Amino acid sequence: MLKSHLSMELRWGILAHAAVCVFFALSGFIIRFITVTRIDSPLDYSIDRVSRIYSVALPAILFTALSILFASAIHPTAFAQLSDFAGWGHTAMQFAMNLTWTAQCWGYNIFPPDNAPFWSLSYECIYYAAYALIFYSARRSGLWVALLLLLGGPSIAFLFPVWLIGAYACDLYLHLRNRANAVLLSGSALAVLLAVLALARHPILAFLHWTDVTHRSVWLTHLIERHISFAPHLLDKENFIPWLIEASPSYYLIGIVTSAIILFGMLALDRYHPELSPIVTRYTRLIADSTFALYLFHTPAVMLVDVIVGHSVHDDHTATMMMIAIPLAIIPVAVTLDHLKRWMRSRLYQRFAPHPARS
């Protein structure tokens, strides 16, 4: 029997998925832009993505393991209350699956203990591979992409269109960027989109409620129970079919709105500030390059600091200090990891290509 109400954990999971959809659309835009304007070949693309991902993911996994070791040694009782660590046997498997990007296949969430944000990387890396098949392999690319998404499972396949929406927004940007009325066109389209969503908010909310995870679970679970004998084995600990969260139409709306905002913002920036000052460019690049490290390092860092200071993150003063201190501490780490990324690219080019590595 399915639960009639979502648990708090599942509600936070839905919000997290919604937030990551914003980044999926942004990722699609950025990857499309760099492949059209900067990256010349499948090898360049592969080395660029591998070095970018592993230069942060590997240190983040190491930092997660060290955080668990230190936190459990410093204050075992507080660590047991704050951590979801279940023993090193489980953790080795979790680390391995997250570093091979198979941890989210078919909707069964497996992420490193105390580092739940890792879940989205399995999605991202499969999207990178699917995009490479589309962009660099015209022959039978649709079949290979379908097979890849089949291996990833419905969860990953359902959100791939959100990523592609961002990529198509980049195509629109490149098409419009030299037109004198580009800002007017994109601004008008964004205004119309927001107006339609505002005017139709009640039927939209009703539709999203009708198609929310609870209703989808009830309907689909009853359906498969009639025809599939092993249906109970498909359910997760919440008695939900695991990939149903990603099937929400709301995520496509998030992708469309996010992409429209990115498109308008980029065109407006080109029109009114085509050349930013060196200091603005420098710090913008620094912040942008630090976001990935912040994303993968902040959760174990919060757990470790919380154990060390002996307070709960629900304490307002402690939480505020942590929100300020942890990002500031991760920025120099991100700078170091950028050097690691460049070193990895250089080594990969030496191994797989005769020409020198690119920065």
Side-chain angles (χ1 to χ4, degrees), residues 73-345:
I74 292 169
H75 201 315
T77 303
F79 173 74
Q81 293 175 345
L82 294 169
S83 175
D84 54 12
F85 179 67
W88 288 109
H90 295 281
T91 301
M93 180 271 293
Q94 292 168 317
F95 285 172
M97 293 191 71
N98 279 274
L99 289 175
T100 55
W101 319 120
T102 58
Q104 298 294 317
C105 290
W106 284 86
Y108 294 92
N109 293 329
I110 299 172
F111 45 78
D114 306 314
N115 207 338
F118 251 90
W119 75 265
S120 65
L121 288 196
S122 293
Y123 286 68
E124 276 284 330
C125 290
I126 290 178
Y127 296 161
Y128 292 158
Y131 175 77
L133 290 171
I134 295 170
F135 187 73
Y136 294 110
S137 177
R139 295 185 61 185
R140 298 182 180 178
S141 61
L143 174 62
W144 289 113
V145 169
L147 289 174
L148 179 63
L149 294 178
L150 179 63
L151 290 174
S155 296
I156 293 172
F158 280 137
L159 289 183
F160 187 44
V162 177
W163 197 93
L164 287 177
I165 289 169
Y168 287 129
C170 180
D171 284 343
L172 277 175
Y173 165 70
L174 294 173
H175 177 71
L176 295 173
R177 65 187 304 187
N178 294 322
R179 295 184 57 168
N181 61 345
V183 176
L184 177 62
L185 287 173
S186 60
S188 299
L190 176 60
V192 169
L193 173 62
L194 295 177
V196 169
L197 292 177
L199 293 173
R201 64 186 181 279
H202 293 302
I204 289 174
L205 290 174
F207 174 73
L208 293 178
H209 175 72
W210 180 70
T211 59
D212 72 9
V213 65
T214 306
H215 292 93
R216 293 196 305 273
S217 292
V218 171
W219 181 79
L220 283 175
T221 300
H222 287 331
L223 178 66
I224 65 174
E225 281 178 343
R226 296 195 193 102
H227 304 287
I228 302 177
S229 60
F230 56 89
H233 299 290
L234 298 176
L235 305 180
D236 62 13
K237 64 181 180 180
E238 297 283 349
N239 286 328
F240 287 96
I241 299 174
W243 53 81
L244 285 172
I245 292 178
E246 288 78 4
S248 174
S250 63
Y251 298 137
Y252 302 112
L253 286 178
I254 292 170
I256 291 170
V257 173
T258 299
S259 298
I261 293 172
I262 294 171
L263 176 62
F264 172 71
M266 291 293 293
L267 291 172
L269 191 64
D270 283 351
R271 174 67 177 84
Y272 298 109
H273 295 283
E275 294 186 7
L276 298 176
S277 67
I279 190 169
V280 171
T281 301
R282 177 184 176 184
Y283 283 104
T284 300
R285 180 71 178 269
L286 176 64
I287 293 171
D289 288 343
S290 300
T291 54
F292 187 29
L294 179 62
Y295 181 67
L296 291 189
F297 278 76
H298 79 277
T299 303
V302 168
M303 184 274 296
L304 179 61
V305 171
D306 199 33
V307 168
I308 292 172
V309 301
H311 295 286
S312 170
V313 294
H314 297 293
D315 177 87
D316 291 340
H317 178 71
T318 303
T320 301
M321 293 298 295
M322 290 171 66
M323 288 176 62
I324 296 172
I326 289 176
L328 290 177
I330 291 176
I331 288 177
V333 173
V335 173
T336 302
L337 296 182
D338 190 61
H339 292 304
L340 175 61
K341 176 188 70 177
R342 294 172 184 272
W343 177 83
M344 290 179 66
R345 285 184 183 177

Side-chain angles (χ1 to χ4, degrees), residues 28-110:
F29 188 99
I30 292 172
I31 296 302
R32 179 63 174 168
F33 183 81
I34 65 173
T35 51
V36 171
T37 62
R38 182 168 63 85
I39 296 179
D40 299 326
S41 70
L43 178 63
D44 291 331
Y45 177 80
S46 300
I47 289 176
D48 180 84
R49 291 297 88 200
V50 167
S51 60
R52 173 60 171 160
I53 293 295
Y54 280 103
S55 64
V56 179
L58 284 170
I61 286 287
L62 178 60
F63 177 72
T64 301
L66 292 175
S67 297
I68 291 171
L69 285 171
F70 287 133
S72 60
I74 292 169
H75 201 315
T77 303
F79 173 74
Q81 293 175 345
L82 294 169
S83 175
D84 54 12
F85 179 67
W88 288 109
H90 295 281
T91 301
M93 180 271 293
Q94 292 168 317
F95 285 172
M97 293 191 71
N98 279 274
L99 289 175
T100 55
W101 319 120
T102 58
Q104 298 294 317
C105 290
W106 284 86
Y108 294 92
N109 293 329
I110 299 172

